Amino acid sequence: MFTIEHEFDATVVTLIDEGDGLPLMGDVIITAFEDCVAVEQTDPDTEETVRITLSMTQLADLAAALNLPEGSYRIDRTPAPKG
C-alpha cells in the first residue's frame, strides 16, 4: 500500500509495509524535491529515523540499475545530436 501527497515544494510518497506474513518494517517516506529525493525510514524498535538524500542523477542511475544485469555501468548523458 502507498500514499501520494503533493505539497508546496515536494511530492511525498509513503510506502506502507503490510507484511505478507513477514515481520513488518517501518514505513518508507520518499520526498521528491526539484533537485533531490530524500528517502526516510524509522526503525520501529529504536524509533531512530535514517534519511538518505539522492541527487537527481543518482535517482536516474538507480532507476536504470533496476532493469540491468549484474555489472558496472556508466550512463552517457551527452545530449543526442539534433537533426
Side-chain angles (χ1 to χ4, degrees):
M1 177 178 171
F2 61 91
T3 65
I4 301 171
E5 299 173 52
H6 298 290
E7 297 183 357
F8 173 72
D9 63 343
T11 297
V12 179
V13 176
T14 303
L15 307 176
I16 301 163
D17 189 357
E18 296 187 274
D20 295 331
L22 302 171
L24 294 178
M25 301 297 293
D27 296 349
V28 175
I29 301 170
I30 304 157
T31 308
F33 297 96
E34 182 179 332
D35 61 343
C36 67
V37 173
V39 180
E40 305 183 346
Q41 185 175 40
T42 301
D43 183 319
D45 296 327
T46 65
E47 296 299 319
E48 180 182 352
T49 299
V50 176
R51 181 179 184 146
I52 299 171
T53 302
L54 303 171
S55 70
M56 298 312 275
T57 301
Q58 289 173 312
L59 185 63
D61 287 350
L62 174 60
L66 294 175
N67 295 313
L68 293 170
E70 182 177 3
S72 178
Y73 299 89
R74 177 173 286 131
I75 296 174
D76 181 8
R77 290 190 167 78
T78 56
K82 294 182 181 179

